[in-house]
Structures are given as C-alpha cells and as structure tokens.
Amino acid sequence: MGSPSISVIVPVYNNESSLPELHRRLTAVLSGTGMPYEVVFVDDGSRDRSGEILGGLATTGPSTVVVSLSRNFGQHPAIHAGMSAARGSVIILMDADLEDSPEDIPVLLAPMIEDPALEIVFSTFDDPEGPRKRLSSAIFHRVFSRLSRTRIPRNLGTFRAFSAKVRDALLEYPERSAVYGPLMSQIGFSSVTVEVSRSAPVGRATSYNLRKRLSLAVSSLIYYGSALPTLVLTAGTTLVVLSSGYLAVVVGAYALGQRALPAGTVLLLSVSLLTSGVLMLSVGVLTIYAYQIFKEVLGRPRYHVAARRGSGLP
Ligand code: UDP
Ligand code: MG
C-alpha cells in the first residue's frame, strides 16, 4: 500500500435523526487520522428528510460524496453502490444509525496500519440491543453458521474495514442478491477480528422486520451454503429408509406367520403423509432456487443511481 487513504461507506435509509451527528463525528475522527479520506453516503431511497440533509452535507462538508439511488433497493445493493463509488485504499463499512461509533474507526484501522498485508478487519460487539432484534439476528447467525458450515463469530457486525483488493473481489460477484456479510466471511484473504462497543441506535430501532431478516437469511443460505437441499435430501432419505425398514419388518413378520399386520389404514395414512411431506418440502426448495435463478437470469441492474453529489478522493 502506498500512502493509505480511507473511504467510509454508509448506506442510508430513513436516518434523518442520526445523520448530522454521524457526519460531525466522522469528520472529527477522520481528520484526526491525518490520512486523506472521503465519506460515501448512499441514500437508498429514504422517504424522510435524509436526502435533503445529505444534499446539505455534500455541499458544505469536505470529502463527502452522496450517491442517491432511484428508490429503495435494500442495504446490500446500497453497499454495492458505495463500494463502486469508493476510491480509498482502505474501505470502512458502517451503519448510519450510530450503533457503530465513528470513534472506533481507529480501532479498525490499527491492525491494517500495523500489518499492511492484512486485508480485512471484522468487528464483534457487546450487545445492548432490544430482545426482539437480538432474537432475530441471533437466529440468523446461528442458522447461517450451522447450515453453511462457515465459521462466523457471534455478534459479527457490519462495521468492518477492508482493502481495495477485497472491495474489487466483492464487486466481481455477479449475483444480484449478494449479501456482503456472509460473502466476506467466505472469500478468504487474511483477516482479524477486533471488538468494538455498540450504542443504542439513534432514530427508529431497525429497518428490518422479522420478514425482511428471514428473507435475508434465506438468500444467504441459498447463495452461500448448499445446506438447504442437503437438509431436504437428508430428511427425505431418512424417512424413506425408516418407513421402508418398518414396512419390511412388519410384512416380514406377517409372512413368517408370527404376527398379524397392524391396523392398515393408520399405517398407510401416516406413511403417505410423511412421504408427501418430504415431496412438498423438496418442491419448496426447488421453487426457491427456481425463483432465484429466474432473478439472476433476468440480470436486472442491482439499482439505479438517480444523482451523485459532492466530491471525494481523486
Ligand atoms: N439500510 C439500507 N436500505 C434498507 C435497509 C437498511 O440502506 O433497505 C441501511 C440503514 O440505513 C443502515 C443499515 O442499512 O445504515 C442497517 O440498517 P438498520 O440499522 O436498520 O438494521 P439493523 O441495525 O437492524 O441491522
Ligand atoms: Mg441499526
């Protein structure tokens, strides 16, 4: 790395109440590092006053770039837009709601400055969040780590630093439904994990409801793990082996004249219910894949940029 420069990427979706303070604290911390920097805000179709506030920051603040998407596309397409715009040799990704503290940026940078060959610094956090949010993220992480067999530390945050090389690698992934959290845990490169503190979010608690988070979990599983079909196949095989084994024993005992057959209807009904259950499950998984393949085949743009304001690193 030559002389390092920093790009901070912040996806923004309805964060009007935290943006001014976020920008102020970011500017203070970043100018304190003595490195050239830029802050890239991606307005992901906010419906509150975020766009207006960002417009003001782009014209008054130094090194502030605002990329406005044409509508709400979601956090990960917004991150893609931010990574495409970032020019720094080190990229920092953080949420806009001040759950991540700008003051922790030097903590993320320190390992990279110490070892210039280091490519990724992940962060984990102590969790002061509400029980509902914690439950849904915990389910997400638990299910994902288990099923995808990817080792992901508990409480892994979006807050992280990575090199331009890693950014380029991430941008090479053509899939429309890229989820950068799990993707970054799978692409390799040298990494370390540091612990940071987490504050309560400023503004609304989260823009994810259980449905949005579950659909994120499903995309992650489809794209970054082969566990879903494996699970269904295992379940199907187990049921077939168990039920045919049971039938063989029952019918065998009957044929040898040792026993009468058990009540037939009950037996048949339960077996056929189990079998159709497995079939429906498999068809369900196929449908999920077919839908995702359909989306990928369409190859639609991930997002549209409606406007770009401000100026960042050269
Ligand atoms: N976000 C986004 N588009 C969306 C939803 C969220 O750009 O459709 C951004 C949001 O502005 C924030 C980050 O993604 O900077 C994480 O969102 P949030 O804080 O609501 O999620 P959580 O804290 O529950 O992970
Ligand atoms: Mg948040």
mmCIF file of all heavy atoms in Angstrom, residues 119-135:
data_model
loop_
_atom_site.group_PDB
_atom_site.id
_atom_site.type_symbol
_atom_site.label_atom_id
_atom_site.label_comp_id
_atom_site.label_asym_id
_atom_site.label_seq_id
_atom_site.Cartn_x
_atom_site.Cartn_y
_atom_site.Cartn_z
ATOM 1 N N GLU A 119 -5.871 -7.819 5.016
ATOM 2 C CA GLU A 119 -6.893 -7.385 4.063
ATOM 3 C C GLU A 119 -8.240 -7.036 4.693
ATOM 4 O O GLU A 119 -8.971 -6.212 4.172
ATOM 5 C CB GLU A 119 -7.112 -8.478 3.004
ATOM 6 C CG GLU A 119 -5.839 -8.946 2.303
ATOM 7 C CD GLU A 119 -5.360 -7.999 1.212
ATOM 8 O OE1 GLU A 119 -6.017 -6.967 0.981
ATOM 9 O OE2 GLU A 119 -4.317 -8.281 0.593
ATOM 10 N N ILE A 120 -8.605 -7.729 5.791
ATOM 11 C CA ILE A 120 -9.938 -7.478 6.370
ATOM 12 C C ILE A 120 -9.855 -7.369 7.890
ATOM 13 O O ILE A 120 -9.169 -8.153 8.532
ATOM 14 C CB ILE A 120 -10.934 -8.625 6.048
ATOM 15 C CG1 ILE A 120 -10.969 -8.927 4.543
ATOM 16 C CG2 ILE A 120 -12.335 -8.278 6.545
ATOM 17 C CD1 ILE A 120 -11.861 -10.088 4.161
ATOM 18 N N VAL A 121 -10.538 -6.387 8.460
ATOM 19 C CA VAL A 121 -10.701 -6.321 9.913
ATOM 20 C C VAL A 121 -12.196 -6.372 10.210
ATOM 21 O O VAL A 121 -12.941 -5.455 9.889
ATOM 22 C CB VAL A 121 -10.087 -5.043 10.509
ATOM 23 C CG1 VAL A 121 -10.285 -5.024 12.027
ATOM 24 C CG2 VAL A 121 -8.606 -4.934 10.163
ATOM 25 N N PHE A 122 -12.646 -7.506 10.783
ATOM 26 C CA PHE A 122 -14.045 -7.634 11.182
ATOM 27 C C PHE A 122 -14.217 -7.042 12.566
ATOM 28 O O PHE A 122 -13.247 -6.868 13.305
ATOM 29 C CB PHE A 122 -14.448 -9.114 11.251
ATOM 30 C CG PHE A 122 -14.519 -9.807 9.917
ATOM 31 C CD1 PHE A 122 -13.570 -10.754 9.556
ATOM 32 C CD2 PHE A 122 -15.547 -9.526 9.029
ATOM 33 C CE1 PHE A 122 -13.633 -11.403 8.325
ATOM 34 C CE2 PHE A 122 -15.624 -10.178 7.800
ATOM 35 C CZ PHE A 122 -14.663 -11.112 7.448
ATOM 36 N N SER A 123 -15.448 -6.753 12.957
ATOM 37 C CA SER A 123 -15.668 -6.342 14.342
ATOM 38 C C SER A 123 -16.799 -7.149 14.963
ATOM 39 O O SER A 123 -17.759 -7.532 14.293
ATOM 40 C CB SER A 123 -16.003 -4.851 14.422
ATOM 41 O OG SER A 123 -17.340 -4.616 14.050
ATOM 42 N N THR A 124 -16.635 -7.438 16.237
ATOM 43 C CA THR A 124 -17.731 -8.034 17.005
ATOM 44 C C THR A 124 -18.088 -7.049 18.090
ATOM 45 O O THR A 124 -17.313 -6.145 18.408
ATOM 46 C CB THR A 124 -17.336 -9.370 17.662
ATOM 47 O OG1 THR A 124 -16.139 -9.144 18.418
ATOM 48 C CG2 THR A 124 -17.081 -10.441 16.629
ATOM 49 N N PHE A 125 -19.258 -7.186 18.675
ATOM 50 C CA PHE A 125 -19.692 -6.174 19.639
ATOM 51 C C PHE A 125 -20.418 -6.801 20.818
ATOM 52 O O PHE A 125 -20.957 -7.899 20.720
ATOM 53 C CB PHE A 125 -20.620 -5.164 18.950
ATOM 54 C CG PHE A 125 -21.784 -5.810 18.240
ATOM 55 C CD1 PHE A 125 -22.979 -6.046 18.898
ATOM 56 C CD2 PHE A 125 -21.670 -6.201 16.906
ATOM 57 C CE1 PHE A 125 -24.046 -6.651 18.247
ATOM 58 C CE2 PHE A 125 -22.740 -6.805 16.247
ATOM 59 C CZ PHE A 125 -23.922 -7.031 16.928
ATOM 60 N N ASP A 126 -20.397 -6.079 21.900
ATOM 61 C CA ASP A 126 -21.235 -6.396 23.065
ATOM 62 C C ASP A 126 -22.628 -5.950 22.726
ATOM 63 O O ASP A 126 -22.798 -4.912 22.122
ATOM 64 C CB ASP A 126 -20.754 -5.587 24.269
ATOM 65 C CG ASP A 126 -19.827 -6.401 25.131
ATOM 66 O OD1 ASP A 126 -19.747 -7.625 24.899
ATOM 67 O OD2 ASP A 126 -19.185 -5.806 26.016
ATOM 68 N N ASP A 127 -23.623 -6.672 23.120
ATOM 69 C CA ASP A 127 -24.952 -6.443 22.585
ATOM 70 C C ASP A 127 -25.946 -5.798 23.553
ATOM 71 O O ASP A 127 -26.541 -6.475 24.364
ATOM 72 C CB ASP A 127 -25.514 -7.776 22.120
ATOM 73 C CG ASP A 127 -26.645 -7.579 21.158
ATOM 74 O OD1 ASP A 127 -27.163 -6.452 21.090
ATOM 75 O OD2 ASP A 127 -26.996 -8.547 20.476
ATOM 76 N N PRO A 128 -26.111 -4.464 23.474
ATOM 77 C CA PRO A 128 -27.076 -3.840 24.360
ATOM 78 C C PRO A 128 -28.448 -3.683 23.707
ATOM 79 O O PRO A 128 -29.246 -2.869 24.140
ATOM 80 C CB PRO A 128 -26.455 -2.455 24.595
ATOM 81 C CG PRO A 128 -25.760 -2.148 23.308
ATOM 82 C CD PRO A 128 -25.455 -3.441 22.615
ATOM 83 N N GLU A 129 -28.721 -4.454 22.654
ATOM 84 C CA GLU A 129 -29.941 -4.199 21.895
ATOM 85 C C GLU A 129 -31.166 -4.863 22.492
ATOM 86 O O GLU A 129 -31.095 -5.708 23.347
ATOM 87 C CB GLU A 129 -29.770 -4.690 20.457
ATOM 88 C CG GLU A 129 -28.928 -3.740 19.662
ATOM 89 C CD GLU A 129 -28.303 -4.434 18.482
ATOM 90 O OE1 GLU A 129 -28.504 -5.653 18.329
ATOM 91 O OE2 GLU A 129 -27.601 -3.746 17.729
ATOM 92 N N GLY A 130 -32.304 -4.423 21.966
ATOM 93 C CA GLY A 130 -33.589 -4.956 22.438
ATOM 94 C C GLY A 130 -33.694 -6.444 22.157
ATOM 95 O O GLY A 130 -33.043 -6.958 21.263
ATOM 96 N N PRO A 131 -34.505 -7.152 22.958
ATOM 97 C CA PRO A 131 -34.599 -8.599 22.836
ATOM 98 C C PRO A 131 -35.140 -9.081 21.491
ATOM 99 O O PRO A 131 -34.719 -10.123 21.001
ATOM 100 C CB PRO A 131 -35.548 -8.990 23.963
ATOM 101 C CG PRO A 131 -36.207 -7.738 24.424
ATOM 102 C CD PRO A 131 -35.304 -6.609 24.040
ATOM 103 N N ARG A 132 -36.038 -8.300 20.864
ATOM 104 C CA ARG A 132 -36.626 -8.786 19.599
ATOM 105 C C ARG A 132 -35.583 -8.825 18.503
ATOM 106 O O ARG A 132 -35.430 -9.785 17.789
ATOM 107 C CB ARG A 132 -37.776 -7.873 19.162
ATOM 108 C CG ARG A 132 -39.124 -8.463 19.449
ATOM 109 C CD ARG A 132 -40.222 -7.658 18.773
ATOM 110 N NE ARG A 132 -40.196 -7.804 17.335
ATOM 111 C CZ ARG A 132 -40.698 -6.911 16.502
ATOM 112 N NH1 ARG A 132 -41.230 -5.801 16.973
ATOM 113 N NH2 ARG A 132 -40.669 -7.105 15.210
ATOM 114 N N LYS A 133 -34.873 -7.684 18.394
ATOM 115 C CA LYS A 133 -33.816 -7.565 17.394
ATOM 116 C C LYS A 133 -32.754 -8.627 17.646
ATOM 117 O O LYS A 133 -32.283 -9.289 16.747
ATOM 118 C CB LYS A 133 -33.221 -6.163 17.489
ATOM 119 C CG LYS A 133 -31.837 -6.006 16.900
ATOM 120 C CD LYS A 133 -31.893 -5.636 15.441
ATOM 121 C CE LYS A 133 -30.508 -5.541 14.843
ATOM 122 N NZ LYS A 133 -29.776 -4.403 15.327
ATOM 123 N N ARG A 134 -32.405 -8.767 18.941
ATOM 124 C CA ARG A 134 -31.348 -9.705 19.261
ATOM 125 C C ARG A 134 -31.757 -11.107 18.858
ATOM 126 O O ARG A 134 -30.986 -11.854 18.320
ATOM 127 C CB ARG A 134 -31.056 -9.653 20.759
ATOM 128 C CG ARG A 134 -29.750 -10.272 21.106
ATOM 129 C CD ARG A 134 -29.340 -9.942 22.504
ATOM 130 N NE ARG A 134 -30.403 -9.207 23.193
ATOM 131 C CZ ARG A 134 -30.317 -8.805 24.429
ATOM 132 N NH1 ARG A 134 -29.250 -9.020 25.112
ATOM 133 N NH2 ARG A 134 -31.308 -8.160 25.007
ATOM 134 N N LEU A 135 -33.030 -11.443 19.111
ATOM 135 C CA LEU A 135 -33.521 -12.771 18.782
ATOM 136 C C LEU A 135 -33.418 -13.023 17.286
ATOM 137 O O LEU A 135 -32.856 -14.018 16.856
ATOM 138 C CB LEU A 135 -34.965 -12.932 19.254
ATOM 139 C CG LEU A 135 -35.513 -14.340 19.021
ATOM 140 C CD1 LEU A 135 -34.833 -15.321 19.954
ATOM 141 C CD2 LEU A 135 -37.018 -14.380 19.219
#
